[in-house]
Amino acid sequence: MSEEEHTSDVEDGEEETGKEGEEEELGEEEAIDEKPLTEEVIAECLSLLCKTGDGLSHAYVRVDIHERGVTDIASLEKFIHLRYVDLTKNLIRDISPLNSLTQLLLLRADGNLLTSARLEPQPYLQVASFADNKISSTEGINHPLLEQLSLNNNVIPAVVGLDPTVLQRLHTLELRGNKLTTTAGLNLPNLKNLFLAQNLIKKLEDLDRLVQLTTLHLRENQLESLDGFSELNDKLQYINLRGNNISDVKEFAKLKSLPLLRAISLAENPCAEEEEYRQEVLVALPRLERLDKDEFNEEERQGAEELAEQRKEEEAKAKVNKDKDEFNEEERQGAEELAEQRKEEEAKAKAETEEVEEVA
């Protein structure tokens, strides 16, 4: 399976993910009994015995604490050798006790009650997931080896605080199901995969900073135009724009600056209801291989080529006719000289008439 097909399949499953977040939201107003994490529970959940960082002893480096109703993880502070921490589906509001776990490689804290993902910089953290929480800001996420970050289904209104000088290894960022209205703030020059579906995005901004981007998901937003793409996005191969508000087929021409674009999804846009929709897309983007998961066949390509050639000839003919109708510089100069000559003759005739009248 190609990268485009894989990411497209992932995107198709987003509605279910969003529904799960809604179900959790419904139960939020209920009173929550405090349930601190105990060392007994931690002992049950520890696994993967490994040598410690100094190589002098052994310690368990993985803890999986799923759906335990835990509200407080302060007791994890002393387990400094942990490398893999999974806290999925609990009732945790604060992850600051994890600041002491400086050996962390992977952290999953999905489905909790977090309002912030802020942690002190973790020197080895590579994968972090905070999906299905109540996080309202992207600040405080500055881990130098971080490669994958998920903040799906939170309440983030804008991207701020993601430092490109620190997050140089971040290649995949997931921000589905938030409250973003623009792509501004994503100054991450090494990012390759960006998932922004199910937001409120109306404007594409700062895309010229994402020079390594290959996959961009913008499904179910509020885009009406495709302004914002840049020649600097020359590695972009797949764009999912399904379920937006794009109505004009002329918008496709704005993607001509993307030389490696091979697949795009535009289903559930008003333009997809137009006759010859597939042909119009292929005329604008002749290098495209697939539209809405369906590859272009030879007949479609031939038809698009013929239509493009026909339009090219019509434009050339229209230009020639326009040029014929327009006055050239020589004609303009001649007309100006003739007008001046006639003006002089009229003035001379008037002067002679006045002279004759005086004599009489």
Side-chain angles (χ1 to χ4, degrees), residues 254-265:
K254 296 174 182 178
L255 303 179
K256 285 183 177 180
S257 61
L258 310 176
L260 295 185
L261 187 63
R262 294 295 178 266
I264 187 170
S265 177

Side-chain angles (χ1 to χ4, degrees), residues 84-312:
Y84 309 95
V85 174
D86 193 332
L87 303 169
T88 303
K89 292 187 178 180
N90 283 285
L91 301 169
I92 302 164
R93 293 189 177 91
D94 178 20
I95 56 170
S96 62
L98 302 180
N99 284 326
S100 63
L101 309 186
T102 57
Q103 302 299 309
L104 268 181
L105 298 175
L106 179 147
L107 171 60
R108 298 195 187 284
D110 303 337
N112 281 282
L113 302 177
L114 299 175
T115 57
S116 172
R118 182 182 294 276
L119 281 173
E120 293 177 9
Q122 294 291 317
Y124 305 112
L125 186 61
Q126 298 174 24
V127 178
S129 184
F130 305 99
D132 301 303
N133 280 281
K134 295 297 170 188
I135 295 169
S136 59
S137 173
T138 54
E139 292 185 296
I141 305 174
N142 290 303
H143 314 296
L145 297 188
L146 192 63
E147 297 180 356
Q148 300 177 47
L149 173 61
S150 173
L151 290 161
N152 291 333
N153 301 317
N154 281 284
V155 290
I156 299 167
V159 177
V160 292
L162 297 182
D163 189 340
T165 64
V166 175
L167 298 172
Q168 295 187 25
R169 296 185 60 170
L170 186 65
H171 61 71
T172 299
L173 175 59
E174 302 184 42
L175 281 162
R176 298 182 185 91
N178 279 280
K179 299 186 180 299
L180 302 177
T181 59
T182 173
T183 56
L186 288 163
N187 181 13
L188 297 165
N190 293 317
L191 196 68
K192 294 184 177 180
N193 307 300
L194 179 58
F195 299 87
L196 298 173
Q198 297 174 319
N199 277 279
L200 306 169
I201 296 172
K202 295 182 178 181
K203 195 171 184 181
L204 300 177
E205 298 178 281
D206 291 350
L207 294 184
D208 56 340
R209 299 180 178 183
L210 305 177
V211 295
Q212 298 296 326
L213 199 64
T214 62
T215 301
L216 176 60
H217 283 249
L218 289 161
R219 176 177 172 174
E220 294 179 31
N221 278 285
Q222 298 178 12
L223 292 169
E224 295 182 1
S225 81
L226 296 178
D227 293 323
F229 288 96
S230 163
E231 293 179 356
L232 297 176
N233 301 128
D234 57 1
K235 293 181 175 59
L236 195 53
Q237 299 176 29
Y238 175 73
I239 307 174
N240 191 328
L241 289 160
R242 182 174 179 173
N244 278 274
N245 300 322
I246 300 167
S247 58
D248 192 346
V249 294
K250 293 179 181 178
E251 292 297 315
F252 308 144
K254 296 174 182 178
L255 303 179
K256 285 183 177 180
S257 61
L258 310 176
L260 295 185
L261 187 63
R262 294 295 178 266
I264 187 170
S265 177
L266 288 162
E268 299 175 25
N269 279 275
C271 64
E273 304 300 321
E274 298 286 330
E275 288 186 22
E276 309 301 332
Y277 149 68
R278 287 179 61 84
Q279 188 176 57
E280 291 293 345
V281 174
L282 195 55
V283 168
L285 304 168
R287 291 188 292 264
L288 209 62
E289 296 175 359
R290 193 171 70 251
L291 174 63
D292 301 331
K293 296 187 178 181
D294 295 321
E295 291 188 0
F296 289 105
N297 57 41
E298 192 57 39
E299 184 179 349
E300 287 177 309
R301 291 193 176 281
Q302 185 175 348
E305 287 175 7
E306 292 173 357
L307 180 59
E309 187 61 31
Q310 177 186 332
R311 288 178 177 174
K312 187 176 180 182

Side-chain angles (χ1 to χ4, degrees), residues 28-97:
E28 228 182 283
E29 296 179 1
E30 299 176 7
I32 297 172
D33 294 330
E34 293 299 318
K35 187 178 180 180
L37 181 61
T38 64
E39 292 191 14
E40 289 76 17
V41 172
I42 295 174
E44 293 174 13
C45 300
L46 288 171
S47 63
L48 194 57
L49 190 64
C50 293
K51 280 188 176 182
T52 56
D54 57 14
L56 300 177
S57 60
H58 289 77
Y60 288 105
V61 299
R62 181 190 299 276
V63 66
D64 298 294
I65 304 169
H66 293 100
E67 298 184 76
R68 296 280 186 139
V70 171
T71 60
D72 187 330
I73 57 171
S75 56
L76 278 178
E77 284 181 328
K78 63 181 70 174
F79 291 83
I80 60 173
H81 299 295
L82 286 173
R83 301 173 193 171
Y84 309 95
V85 174
D86 193 332
L87 303 169
T88 303
K89 292 187 178 180
N90 283 285
L91 301 169
I92 302 164
R93 293 189 177 91
D94 178 20
I95 56 170
S96 62

Side-chain angles (χ1 to χ4, degrees), residues 310-321 323:
Q310 177 186 332
R311 288 178 177 174
K312 187 176 180 182
E313 291 174 359
E314 290 173 353
E315 288 174 3
K317 186 176 180 180
K319 186 177 185 303
V320 169
N321 292 335
D323 291 342

